Amino acid sequence: QAKVAGKNCHRFYSRAMDQAVERRVSMEQDLRGAWERGELSLAYQPVYRLEDRSLVGAEALLRWHHPEHGMIAPSVFIDVAEQSGLIETIGPQVLRAACADAVAWRRDFPASNLFVSVNVSPRQLRNGDLAALVDHTLAQTGLPADGLHIELTETAVIGDELRVSSLLARLRDAGVKVWLDDFGTGFSGLSHLRRVPVDGVKIDRSFVADVLRDPDDLALTTAIIAMAHSLGITVVAEGVEKEGQYDVLRERGCDLAQGYWLGYPMNVHDFRGLLG
Ligand code: C2E
Ligand code: MG
Ligand code: MG
Ligand code: MG
């Protein structure tokens, strides 16, 4: 296409661009009210302690079953929800549903003492009062604070460290755990941990993917674990797809793990099956 001369080329690209914009706009319209229509649901991916492979919690992952287009991945629609502001209504709905599910797990399987981990987007952190929302939601659902983990990406905390760290301090004072998601993919990484107080880091799956093949990735992963532990921070590995990765991470002292080898994200019914 690049070889097509000026005019055509321009028309091609602008038409493609129009289509992309159109798709976004119609996706945004469809997403509006999707929760109320029952098109959005939560999948739960089990989180295990590496040492003894015990089930300790679950990450809540949003799923959109579109009536015409079928399953749409969060990597596609979360972005639209974020940019349109819809995340500010969907986010609290996700939080409440995840907390309510965790209350039911703890009620029906008291020994499990599971936590639920909820992803919070940059916009939810910037606008509104996340600490107040969390307080309110815990009170409403009856979930003890230690049953909730909040996952933030590095990009969400960059730029506004002062405000974010006081917000995180409020959450942590209340007893909610805060995890930094996709850790290692941002530029800041380690230096941020000095200014932004978190309880855990989730090593991005791009590192985990190569721990068996690439000595650099293994060295980085090992360094992250050592550094985090010296700061008293829990380490979670994402994207464990092979037994060998699990073994290496356990050897290196990583605390928790999730990934396809351990368990796929599943509906709440199937997740309860793991407990019973
Ligand atoms: P994330 O928080 O880093 O979630 C982990 C993603 O990795 C999930 O993708 C999960 O299905 C996938 N995953 C888990 N284990 C493996 C594995 O072994 N191999 C591979 N290749 N992938 C694995 P998913 O569900 O498509 O979610 C993508 C992202 O969308 C999430 O990344 C998160 O940033 C965002 N997201 C999902 N649900 C929510 C939500 O309720 N609110 C917000 N704000 N963001 C959400
Ligand atoms: Mg996450
Ligand atoms: Mg992640
Ligand atoms: Mg590599």
Side-chain angles (χ1 to χ4, degrees):
Q1 307 288 346
K3 282 190 182 149
V4 178
K7 225 174 171 182
N8 271 330
C9 192
H10 178 258
R11 208 187 306 137
F12 171 80
Y13 281 113
S14 62
R15 202 190 295 136
M17 215 121 85
D18 287 348
Q19 278 171 3
V21 170
E22 247 168 61
R23 261 207 310 275
R24 278 188 92 83
V25 169
S26 79
M27 187 178 290
E28 184 185 323
Q29 277 162 357
D30 291 354
L31 197 51
R32 212 171 283 280
W35 184 277
E36 287 75 7
R37 292 191 299 275
E39 295 166 15
L40 293 170
S41 63
L42 292 178
Y44 291 101
Q45 184 173 37
V47 179
Y48 292 88
R49 183 179 294 119
L50 278 156
E51 204 177 31
D52 57 0
R53 218 198 287 180
S54 58
L55 180 63
V56 290
E59 178 174 8
L61 295 161
L62 196 56
R63 296 288 177 263
W64 184 14
H65 196 275
H66 190 286
E68 290 150 49
H69 308 312
M71 268 315 191
I72 304 179
S75 56
V76 176
F77 71 83
I78 287 289
D79 202 41
V80 172
E82 171 82 9
Q83 283 177 25
S84 62
L86 279 169
I87 196 72
E88 288 175 55
T89 50
I90 296 171
Q93 289 162 327
V94 166
L95 183 65
R96 185 162 1 91
C99 290
D101 282 336
V103 166
W105 303 334
R106 286 176 163 221
R107 181 194 62 219
D108 299 337
F109 308 93
S112 69
N113 217 31
L114 298 182
F115 64 77
V116 71
S117 197
V118 175
N119 293 284
V120 165
S121 79
R123 187 157 183 156
Q124 286 177 271
L125 209 60
R126 259 196 329 272
N127 304 350
D129 188 340
L130 183 66
L133 173 70
V134 165
D135 267 354
H136 175 73
T137 307
L138 292 177
Q140 211 179 30
T141 57
L143 182 67
D146 72 341
L148 178 64
H149 295 197
I150 294 290
E151 298 190 13
L152 310 166
T153 55
E154 279 181 90
T155 44
V157 306
I158 288 169
D160 203 1
E161 283 97 345
L162 220 59
R163 204 181 87 78
V164 170
S165 39
S166 81
L167 174 64
L168 300 191
R170 278 169 67 205
L171 285 173
R172 297 178 72 215
D173 285 346
V176 173
K177 299 248 186 302
V178 176
W179 283 354
L180 216 46
D181 205 350
D182 305 338
F183 188 75
T185 54
F187 288 108
S188 52
L190 310 184
S191 67
H192 257 93
L193 295 178
R194 284 189 300 145
R195 276 167 298 167
V196 181
V198 296
D199 300 281
V201 292
K202 299 188 76 172
I203 302 180
D204 191 69
R205 68 167 180 267
S206 58
F207 292 100
V208 174
D210 275 348
V211 286
L212 298 177
R213 274 196 308 249
D214 185 338
D216 290 347
D217 284 317
L218 180 57
L220 276 168
T221 300
T222 307
I224 291 172
I225 294 168
M227 184 267 332
H229 283 171
S230 72
L231 295 170
I233 292 170
T234 300
V235 186
V236 189
E238 290 192 303
V240 174
E241 295 182 350
K242 295 182 184 123
E243 184 169 12
Q245 294 165 341
Y246 184 94
D247 292 338
V248 165
L249 290 161
R250 192 189 44 212
E251 263 168 37
R252 306 286 159 143
C254 184
D255 303 290
L256 308 178
Q258 59 190 98
Y260 295 164
W261 185 70
L262 291 158
Y264 289 96
M266 58 189 94
N267 67 39
V268 68
H269 176 78
D270 290 345
F271 184 74
R272 289 180 65 96
L274 284 185
L275 302 174

